[in-house]
Short mmCIF file of all heavy atoms in Angstrom, two decimals:
data_model
loop_
_atom_site.label_atom_id
_atom_site.label_comp_id
_atom_site.label_asym_id
_atom_site.label_seq_id
_atom_site.Cartn_x
_atom_site.Cartn_y
_atom_site.Cartn_z
N GLY A 217 0.10 -17.25 22.53
CA GLY A 217 -0.88 -18.32 22.73
C GLY A 217 -1.79 -18.08 23.92
O GLY A 217 -2.33 -19.02 24.51
N LYS A 218 -1.97 -16.81 24.29
CA LYS A 218 -2.77 -16.51 25.48
C LYS A 218 -4.23 -16.16 25.17
O LYS A 218 -4.97 -15.76 26.06
CB LYS A 218 -2.12 -15.36 26.26
CG LYS A 218 -0.79 -15.76 26.88
CD LYS A 218 -0.01 -14.56 27.38
CE LYS A 218 -0.57 -14.04 28.69
NZ LYS A 218 0.32 -13.02 29.27
N ARG A 219 -4.63 -16.23 23.92
CA ARG A 219 -6.03 -15.94 23.59
C ARG A 219 -6.69 -17.20 23.03
O ARG A 219 -6.15 -17.82 22.12
CB ARG A 219 -6.12 -14.82 22.56
CG ARG A 219 -5.75 -13.45 23.10
CD ARG A 219 -6.80 -12.89 24.04
NE ARG A 219 -6.35 -11.63 24.64
CZ ARG A 219 -5.72 -11.54 25.82
NH1 ARG A 219 -5.45 -12.64 26.53
NH2 ARG A 219 -5.35 -10.38 26.29
N ALA A 220 -7.84 -17.54 23.58
CA ALA A 220 -8.53 -18.76 23.15
C ALA A 220 -9.83 -18.45 22.42
O ALA A 220 -10.43 -19.33 21.82
CB ALA A 220 -8.82 -19.63 24.37
N ALA A 221 -10.27 -17.21 22.46
CA ALA A 221 -11.56 -16.88 21.86
C ALA A 221 -11.47 -15.52 21.18
O ALA A 221 -10.65 -14.69 21.53
CB ALA A 221 -12.65 -16.84 22.94
N SER A 222 -12.34 -15.33 20.17
CA SER A 222 -12.46 -14.01 19.55
C SER A 222 -13.21 -13.09 20.50
O SER A 222 -14.06 -13.55 21.28
CB SER A 222 -13.23 -14.11 18.24
OG SER A 222 -12.50 -14.86 17.29
N ARG A 223 -12.90 -11.81 20.45
CA ARG A 223 -13.59 -10.88 21.32
C ARG A 223 -13.43 -9.45 20.83
O ARG A 223 -12.53 -9.14 20.04
CB ARG A 223 -13.09 -11.00 22.76
CG ARG A 223 -11.64 -10.60 22.94
CD ARG A 223 -11.16 -10.97 24.32
NE ARG A 223 -10.07 -10.13 24.77
CZ ARG A 223 -9.48 -10.27 25.96
NH1 ARG A 223 -9.86 -11.19 26.79
NH2 ARG A 223 -8.50 -9.46 26.30
N LEU A 224 -14.31 -8.59 21.32
CA LEU A 224 -14.27 -7.19 20.93
C LEU A 224 -14.32 -6.33 22.19
O LEU A 224 -15.14 -6.59 23.08
CB LEU A 224 -15.48 -6.86 20.05
CG LEU A 224 -15.55 -5.43 19.52
CD1 LEU A 224 -14.62 -5.28 18.32
CD2 LEU A 224 -16.98 -5.08 19.10
N GLN A 225 -13.43 -5.36 22.26
CA GLN A 225 -13.42 -4.44 23.38
C GLN A 225 -13.86 -3.08 22.86
O GLN A 225 -13.26 -2.55 21.93
CB GLN A 225 -11.99 -4.35 23.92
CG GLN A 225 -11.87 -3.64 25.24
CD GLN A 225 -12.25 -4.55 26.40
OE1 GLN A 225 -11.95 -5.74 26.37
NE2 GLN A 225 -12.92 -4.00 27.39
N VAL A 226 -14.92 -2.53 23.43
CA VAL A 226 -15.40 -1.21 23.02
C VAL A 226 -15.01 -0.22 24.10
O VAL A 226 -15.33 -0.42 25.28
CB VAL A 226 -16.93 -1.22 22.81
CG1 VAL A 226 -17.41 0.14 22.36
CG2 VAL A 226 -17.32 -2.29 21.79
N VAL A 227 -14.28 0.82 23.72
CA VAL A 227 -13.68 1.73 24.69
C VAL A 227 -14.18 3.15 24.44
O VAL A 227 -14.10 3.66 23.33
CB VAL A 227 -12.14 1.71 24.56
CG1 VAL A 227 -11.50 2.60 25.62
CG2 VAL A 227 -11.59 0.30 24.64
N ASP A 228 -14.73 3.77 25.48
CA ASP A 228 -15.12 5.17 25.38
C ASP A 228 -14.30 5.94 26.41
O ASP A 228 -14.58 5.89 27.61
CB ASP A 228 -16.62 5.31 25.65
CG ASP A 228 -17.10 6.75 25.45
OD1 ASP A 228 -16.26 7.67 25.58
OD2 ASP A 228 -18.29 6.94 25.17
N VAL A 229 -13.26 6.59 25.95
CA VAL A 229 -12.35 7.27 26.86
C VAL A 229 -13.06 8.43 27.55
O VAL A 229 -12.89 8.65 28.75
CB VAL A 229 -11.10 7.77 26.09
CG1 VAL A 229 -10.20 8.60 26.99
CG2 VAL A 229 -10.32 6.59 25.51
N ALA A 230 -13.90 9.15 26.81
CA ALA A 230 -14.60 10.32 27.39
C ALA A 230 -15.48 9.89 28.55
O ALA A 230 -15.53 10.53 29.60
CB ALA A 230 -15.42 11.01 26.31
N ALA A 231 -16.20 8.79 28.36
CA ALA A 231 -17.11 8.31 29.41
C ALA A 231 -16.38 7.49 30.46
O ALA A 231 -16.95 7.17 31.51
CB ALA A 231 -18.23 7.48 28.77
N GLY A 232 -15.13 7.13 30.20
CA GLY A 232 -14.38 6.31 31.14
C GLY A 232 -14.89 4.89 31.23
O GLY A 232 -14.86 4.28 32.29
N VAL A 233 -15.37 4.37 30.10
CA VAL A 233 -16.00 3.05 30.11
C VAL A 233 -15.36 2.18 29.04
O VAL A 233 -15.07 2.64 27.94
CB VAL A 233 -17.50 3.16 29.76
CG1 VAL A 233 -18.19 1.83 29.95
CG2 VAL A 233 -18.19 4.22 30.59
N SER A 234 -15.16 0.91 29.36
CA SER A 234 -14.85 -0.05 28.30
C SER A 234 -15.68 -1.30 28.53
O SER A 234 -15.98 -1.65 29.67
CB SER A 234 -13.36 -0.38 28.25
OG SER A 234 -13.03 -1.34 29.20
N LYS A 235 -16.06 -1.90 27.44
CA LYS A 235 -16.97 -3.04 27.53
C LYS A 235 -16.41 -4.18 26.70
O LYS A 235 -16.05 -3.99 25.54
CB LYS A 235 -18.34 -2.61 26.99
CG LYS A 235 -19.42 -3.66 27.15
CD LYS A 235 -20.75 -3.11 26.65
CE LYS A 235 -21.81 -4.19 26.62
NZ LYS A 235 -23.02 -3.76 25.93
N LEU A 236 -16.33 -5.36 27.30
CA LEU A 236 -15.84 -6.54 26.58
C LEU A 236 -17.03 -7.30 26.01
O LEU A 236 -17.95 -7.65 26.73
CB LEU A 236 -15.06 -7.44 27.53
CG LEU A 236 -14.47 -8.70 26.91
CD1 LEU A 236 -13.39 -8.36 25.90
CD2 LEU A 236 -13.90 -9.61 27.99
N VAL A 237 -16.99 -7.52 24.69
CA VAL A 237 -18.07 -8.25 24.03
C VAL A 237 -17.50 -9.60 23.59
O VAL A 237 -16.57 -9.65 22.79
CB VAL A 237 -18.58 -7.48 22.79
CG1 VAL A 237 -19.72 -8.22 22.12
CG2 VAL A 237 -19.00 -6.06 23.18
N ALA A 238 -18.03 -10.67 24.15
CA ALA A 238 -17.57 -12.00 23.74
C ALA A 238 -18.15 -12.33 22.37
O ALA A 238 -19.28 -11.96 22.06
CB ALA A 238 -18.02 -13.04 24.75
N LEU A 239 -17.38 -13.01 21.55
CA LEU A 239 -17.84 -13.33 20.20
C LEU A 239 -17.81 -14.83 20.00
O LEU A 239 -16.93 -15.51 20.50
CB LEU A 239 -16.89 -12.73 19.16
CG LEU A 239 -16.89 -11.23 19.01
CD1 LEU A 239 -15.86 -10.86 17.97
CD2 LEU A 239 -18.25 -10.77 18.56
N ALA A 240 -18.77 -15.30 19.24
CA ALA A 240 -18.72 -16.70 18.83
C ALA A 240 -18.92 -16.72 17.32
O ALA A 240 -19.49 -15.80 16.74
CB ALA A 240 -19.83 -17.49 19.51
N ALA A 241 -18.42 -17.76 16.68
CA ALA A 241 -18.60 -17.88 15.23
C ALA A 241 -20.10 -17.97 14.94
O ALA A 241 -20.83 -18.71 15.60
CB ALA A 241 -17.87 -19.11 14.72
N ASP A 242 -20.55 -17.17 13.97
CA ASP A 242 -21.96 -17.17 13.60
C ASP A 242 -22.14 -18.14 12.43
O ASP A 242 -21.59 -17.93 11.35
CB ASP A 242 -22.36 -15.75 13.18
CG ASP A 242 -23.82 -15.67 12.77
OD1 ASP A 242 -24.49 -16.72 12.77
OD2 ASP A 242 -24.28 -14.56 12.46
N PRO A 243 -22.94 -19.20 12.61
CA PRO A 243 -23.12 -20.15 11.50
C PRO A 243 -23.67 -19.49 10.23
O PRO A 243 -23.47 -19.99 9.13
CB PRO A 243 -24.14 -21.15 12.07
CG PRO A 243 -24.09 -20.99 13.54
CD PRO A 243 -23.68 -19.57 13.81
N ALA A 244 -24.34 -18.32 10.40
CA ALA A 244 -24.90 -17.63 9.24
C ALA A 244 -23.93 -16.59 8.65
O ALA A 244 -24.30 -15.87 7.72
CB ALA A 244 -26.20 -16.94 9.64
N CYS A 245 -22.71 -16.52 9.18
CA CYS A 245 -21.75 -15.51 8.70
C CYS A 245 -21.45 -15.73 7.21
O CYS A 245 -21.20 -16.85 6.78
CB CYS A 245 -20.46 -15.61 9.51
SG CYS A 245 -19.14 -14.54 8.89
N PRO A 246 -21.44 -14.62 6.42
CA PRO A 246 -21.20 -14.78 4.98
C PRO A 246 -19.76 -15.20 4.66
O PRO A 246 -19.48 -15.63 3.54
CB PRO A 246 -21.49 -13.39 4.42
CG PRO A 246 -21.35 -12.46 5.58
CD PRO A 246 -21.75 -13.24 6.80
N CYS A 247 -18.85 -15.08 5.64
CA CYS A 247 -17.44 -15.42 5.34
C CYS A 247 -17.00 -16.71 6.06
O CYS A 247 -16.42 -17.59 5.44
CB CYS A 247 -16.53 -14.26 5.71
SG CYS A 247 -14.89 -14.40 5.01
N CYS A 248 -17.28 -16.82 7.36
CA CYS A 248 -16.77 -17.98 8.10
C CYS A 248 -17.90 -18.95 8.49
O CYS A 248 -17.67 -19.90 9.23
CB CYS A 248 -15.98 -17.55 9.34
SG CYS A 248 -16.99 -17.02 10.73
N GLY A 249 -19.13 -18.70 7.99
CA GLY A 249 -20.27 -19.52 8.39
C GLY A 249 -20.32 -20.87 7.71
O GLY A 249 -19.40 -21.27 6.99
N ALA A 250 -21.43 -21.56 7.95
CA ALA A 250 -21.59 -22.93 7.44
C ALA A 250 -21.74 -22.96 5.93
O ALA A 250 -21.31 -23.91 5.27
CB ALA A 250 -22.80 -23.58 8.11
N ALA A 251 -22.37 -21.94 5.36
CA ALA A 251 -22.56 -21.88 3.90
C ALA A 251 -22.09 -20.51 3.42
O ALA A 251 -22.91 -19.65 3.06
CB ALA A 251 -24.02 -22.11 3.55
N PRO A 252 -20.78 -20.27 3.42
CA PRO A 252 -20.29 -18.92 3.14
C PRO A 252 -20.55 -18.48 1.70
O PRO A 252 -20.47 -19.29 0.77
CB PRO A 252 -18.78 -19.02 3.40
CG PRO A 252 -18.46 -20.46 3.26
CD PRO A 252 -19.68 -21.22 3.68
N THR A 253 -20.87 -17.20 1.54
CA THR A 253 -21.02 -16.65 0.19
C THR A 253 -19.71 -16.01 -0.27
O THR A 253 -19.54 -15.74 -1.45
CB THR A 253 -22.14 -15.59 0.18
OG1 THR A 253 -21.87 -14.63 1.22
CG2 THR A 253 -23.50 -16.21 0.42
N ILE A 254 -18.80 -15.75 0.68
CA ILE A 254 -17.50 -15.18 0.32
C ILE A 254 -16.49 -16.33 0.33
O ILE A 254 -16.06 -16.78 1.39
CB ILE A 254 -17.09 -14.08 1.31
CG1 ILE A 254 -18.13 -12.96 1.27
CG2 ILE A 254 -15.70 -13.54 0.99
CD1 ILE A 254 -18.06 -12.02 2.46
N ARG A 255 -16.12 -16.80 -0.85
CA ARG A 255 -15.21 -17.94 -0.95
C ARG A 255 -13.86 -17.54 -1.53
O ARG A 255 -12.92 -18.29 -1.52
CB ARG A 255 -15.81 -19.03 -1.83
CG ARG A 255 -17.06 -19.66 -1.23
CD ARG A 255 -17.87 -20.38 -2.30
NE ARG A 255 -19.08 -20.95 -1.73
CZ ARG A 255 -19.13 -22.14 -1.13
NH1 ARG A 255 -18.05 -22.87 -1.04
NH2 ARG A 255 -20.26 -22.57 -0.64
N SER A 256 -13.80 -16.34 -2.10
CA SER A 256 -12.54 -15.82 -2.62
C SER A 256 -12.62 -14.30 -2.58
O SER A 256 -13.69 -13.74 -2.34
CB SER A 256 -12.33 -16.30 -4.06
OG SER A 256 -13.38 -15.83 -4.87
N LEU A 257 -11.48 -13.65 -2.81
CA LEU A 257 -11.45 -12.18 -2.75
C LEU A 257 -11.81 -11.64 -4.14
O LEU A 257 -11.05 -11.81 -5.08
CB LEU A 257 -10.06 -11.71 -2.33
CG LEU A 257 -9.57 -12.22 -0.97
CD1 LEU A 257 -8.14 -11.76 -0.71
CD2 LEU A 257 -10.48 -11.77 0.16
N GLU A 258 -12.97 -11.04 -4.26
CA GLU A 258 -13.43 -10.50 -5.54
C GLU A 258 -13.29 -8.98 -5.51
O GLU A 258 -13.76 -8.32 -4.59
CB GLU A 258 -14.90 -10.87 -5.78
CG GLU A 258 -15.20 -12.36 -5.76
CD GLU A 258 -14.56 -13.12 -6.91
OE1 GLU A 258 -14.24 -12.48 -7.93
OE2 GLU A 258 -14.35 -14.34 -6.76
N LYS A 259 -12.68 -8.46 -6.57
CA LYS A 259 -12.37 -7.03 -6.61
C LYS A 259 -13.59 -6.15 -6.34
O LYS A 259 -13.53 -5.19 -5.56
CB LYS A 259 -11.78 -6.70 -7.98
CG LYS A 259 -11.09 -5.37 -8.03
CD LYS A 259 -10.24 -5.26 -9.29
CE LYS A 259 -9.26 -4.11 -9.14
NZ LYS A 259 -8.14 -4.22 -10.06
N ALA A 260 -14.72 -6.48 -6.96
CA ALA A 260 -15.90 -5.61 -6.86
C ALA A 260 -16.41 -5.49 -5.42
O ALA A 260 -17.04 -4.51 -5.06
CB ALA A 260 -17.00 -6.15 -7.75
N ALA A 261 -16.09 -6.49 -4.61
CA ALA A 261 -16.62 -6.49 -3.24
C ALA A 261 -15.90 -5.50 -2.34
O ALA A 261 -16.37 -5.19 -1.25
CB ALA A 261 -16.50 -7.90 -2.65
N TYR A 262 -14.76 -4.99 -2.80
CA TYR A 262 -13.97 -4.10 -1.94
C TYR A 262 -13.72 -2.76 -2.62
O TYR A 262 -12.67 -2.16 -2.46
CB TYR A 262 -12.63 -4.77 -1.56
CG TYR A 262 -12.83 -6.14 -0.99
CD1 TYR A 262 -12.69 -7.26 -1.79
CD2 TYR A 262 -13.22 -6.31 0.34
CE1 TYR A 262 -12.92 -8.54 -1.28
CE2 TYR A 262 -13.45 -7.57 0.85
CZ TYR A 262 -13.29 -8.68 0.03
OH TYR A 262 -13.52 -9.93 0.55
N ALA A 263 -14.71 -2.32 -3.41
CA ALA A 263 -14.57 -1.01 -4.05
C ALA A 263 -14.38 0.03 -2.96
O ALA A 263 -15.15 0.07 -2.00
CB ALA A 263 -15.82 -0.70 -4.85
N PRO A 264 -13.33 0.86 -3.10
CA PRO A 264 -13.02 1.77 -2.00
C PRO A 264 -14.15 2.76 -1.74
O PRO A 264 -14.71 3.34 -2.65
CB PRO A 264 -11.77 2.51 -2.50
CG PRO A 264 -11.29 1.76 -3.67
CD PRO A 264 -12.43 1.00 -4.23
N THR A 265 -14.48 2.90 -0.48
CA THR A 265 -15.34 3.99 -0.07
C THR A 265 -14.40 5.08 0.44
O THR A 265 -13.21 4.86 0.53
CB THR A 265 -16.30 3.54 1.04
OG1 THR A 265 -15.54 2.95 2.08
CG2 THR A 265 -17.28 2.51 0.52
N ALA A 266 -14.92 6.23 0.77
CA ALA A 266 -14.05 7.32 1.22
C ALA A 266 -13.37 6.91 2.52
O ALA A 266 -13.75 5.93 3.15
CB ALA A 266 -14.88 8.57 1.43
N CYS A 267 -12.36 7.68 2.92
CA CYS A 267 -11.66 7.43 4.19
C CYS A 267 -12.64 7.53 5.34
O CYS A 267 -13.06 8.61 5.72
CB CYS A 267 -10.56 8.47 4.37
SG CYS A 267 -9.91 8.54 6.05
N GLN A 268 -13.03 6.40 5.84
CA GLN A 268 -14.07 6.41 6.85
C GLN A 268 -13.66 5.59 8.05
O GLN A 268 -12.95 4.62 7.94
CB GLN A 268 -15.36 5.81 6.30
CG GLN A 268 -16.03 6.71 5.30
CD GLN A 268 -17.12 6.01 4.56
OE1 GLN A 268 -17.28 4.81 4.69
NE2 GLN A 268 -17.84 6.75 3.78
N THR A 269 -14.16 5.99 9.16
CA THR A 269 -13.95 5.22 10.38
C THR A 269 -15.30 4.92 10.97
O THR A 269 -16.14 5.79 11.10
CB THR A 269 -13.11 6.02 11.38
OG1 THR A 269 -11.88 6.36 10.74
CG2 THR A 269 -12.83 5.22 12.61
N GLN A 270 -15.50 3.68 11.29
CA GLN A 270 -16.78 3.28 11.85
C GLN A 270 -16.94 3.90 13.24
O GLN A 270 -16.05 3.81 14.06
CB GLN A 270 -16.75 1.76 11.99
CG GLN A 270 -18.09 1.15 12.01
CD GLN A 270 -17.98 -0.27 11.53
OE1 GLN A 270 -16.91 -0.78 11.26
NE2 GLN A 270 -19.10 -0.93 11.43
N SER A 271 -18.06 4.52 13.47
CA SER A 271 -18.29 5.08 14.78
C SER A 271 -18.77 3.98 15.71
O SER A 271 -19.82 3.41 15.49
CB SER A 271 -19.35 6.17 14.73
OG SER A 271 -19.74 6.50 16.04
N PRO A 272 -18.00 3.64 16.75
CA PRO A 272 -18.45 2.57 17.62
C PRO A 272 -19.61 3.01 18.51
O PRO A 272 -20.31 2.19 19.05
CB PRO A 272 -17.21 2.24 18.44
CG PRO A 272 -16.34 3.43 18.35
CD PRO A 272 -16.71 4.19 17.13
N MET A 273 -19.77 4.28 18.71
CA MET A 273 -20.83 4.74 19.59
C MET A 273 -21.47 5.98 18.96
O MET A 273 -20.92 7.06 19.03
CB MET A 273 -20.26 5.10 20.95
CG MET A 273 -19.66 3.91 21.66
SD MET A 273 -19.02 4.34 23.24
CE MET A 273 -18.18 2.82 23.66
N SER A 274 -22.59 5.84 18.32
CA SER A 274 -23.24 7.02 17.78
C SER A 274 -24.11 7.61 18.87
O SER A 274 -24.19 7.11 19.98
CB SER A 274 -24.07 6.65 16.56
OG SER A 274 -25.24 5.99 16.97
N GLU A 275 -24.78 8.70 18.56
CA GLU A 275 -25.52 9.37 19.63
C GLU A 275 -26.76 8.59 20.04
O GLU A 275 -27.24 8.71 21.16
CB GLU A 275 -25.86 10.78 19.17
CG GLU A 275 -24.65 11.70 19.32
CD GLU A 275 -24.72 12.93 18.46
OE1 GLU A 275 -25.83 13.33 18.13
OE2 GLU A 275 -23.65 13.46 18.13
N THR A 276 -27.33 7.82 19.15
CA THR A 276 -28.42 6.93 19.54
C THR A 276 -27.79 5.74 20.24
O THR A 276 -26.86 5.14 19.74
CB THR A 276 -29.17 6.44 18.29
OG1 THR A 276 -29.71 7.56 17.61
CG2 THR A 276 -30.29 5.49 18.66
N PRO A 277 -28.30 5.39 21.46
CA PRO A 277 -27.65 4.26 22.15
C PRO A 277 -27.83 2.95 21.38
O PRO A 277 -28.86 2.74 20.73
CB PRO A 277 -28.39 4.22 23.50
CG PRO A 277 -29.67 4.94 23.28
CD PRO A 277 -29.43 5.94 22.20
N LEU A 278 -26.81 2.12 21.47
CA LEU A 278 -26.86 0.83 20.77
C LEU A 278 -27.96 -0.04 21.38
O LEU A 278 -28.56 -0.86 20.71
CB LEU A 278 -25.50 0.15 20.91
CG LEU A 278 -25.24 -1.10 20.08
CD1 LEU A 278 -25.36 -0.80 18.60
CD2 LEU A 278 -23.84 -1.64 20.38
N GLU A 279 -28.22 0.17 22.65
CA GLU A 279 -29.14 -0.70 23.36
C GLU A 279 -29.97 0.14 24.33
O GLU A 279 -29.46 1.07 24.94
CB GLU A 279 -28.31 -1.72 24.14
CG GLU A 279 -29.05 -2.95 24.54
CD GLU A 279 -28.09 -4.07 24.91
OE1 GLU A 279 -27.27 -3.90 25.83
OE2 GLU A 279 -28.18 -5.13 24.28
N VAL A 280 -31.26 -0.18 24.47
CA VAL A 280 -32.09 0.48 25.48
C VAL A 280 -32.74 -0.60 26.35
O VAL A 280 -32.93 -1.73 25.90
CB VAL A 280 -33.19 1.38 24.86
CG1 VAL A 280 -32.58 2.50 24.04
CG2 VAL A 280 -34.15 0.56 24.01
N THR A 281 -33.07 -0.23 27.58
CA THR A 281 -33.76 -1.17 28.46
C THR A 281 -35.23 -1.25 28.04
O THR A 281 -35.73 -0.40 27.30
CB THR A 281 -33.70 -0.68 29.92
OG1 THR A 281 -34.38 0.59 29.98
CG2 THR A 281 -32.26 -0.51 30.39
N VAL A 282 -35.94 -2.26 28.55
CA VAL A 282 -37.37 -2.36 28.22
C VAL A 282 -38.14 -1.18 28.80
O VAL A 282 -39.12 -0.71 28.20
CB VAL A 282 -37.98 -3.70 28.71
CG1 VAL A 282 -37.56 -4.83 27.80
CG2 VAL A 282 -37.65 -4.01 30.15
N GLU A 283 -37.69 -0.67 29.94
CA GLU A 283 -38.35 0.51 30.52
C GLU A 283 -38.22 1.71 29.58
O GLU A 283 -39.19 2.44 29.34
CB GLU A 283 -37.75 0.85 31.90
CG GLU A 283 -38.06 -0.14 33.00
CD GLU A 283 -37.06 -1.29 33.09
OE1 GLU A 283 -36.20 -1.42 32.19
OE2 GLU A 283 -37.14 -2.08 34.04
#
Side-chain angles (χ1 to χ4, degrees):
K218 292 168 77 171
R219 289 288 175 268
S222 294
R223 65 190 206 180
L224 182 79
Q225 191 80 37
V226 181
V227 183
D228 185 335
V229 175
V233 187
S234 82
K235 186 177 172 190
L236 181 66
V237 182
L239 290 178
D242 180 357
C245 173
C247 195
C248 77
T253 52
I254 299 163
R255 294 161 181 275
S256 61
L257 301 176
E258 303 293 338
K259 195 165 196 160
Y262 308 98
T265 53
C267 165
Q268 288 168 352
T269 303
Q270 204 155 3
S271 168
M273 297 181 189
S274 75
E275 281 159 25
T276 299
L278 190 60
E279 200 162 59
V280 298
T281 62
V282 284
E283 290 88 352

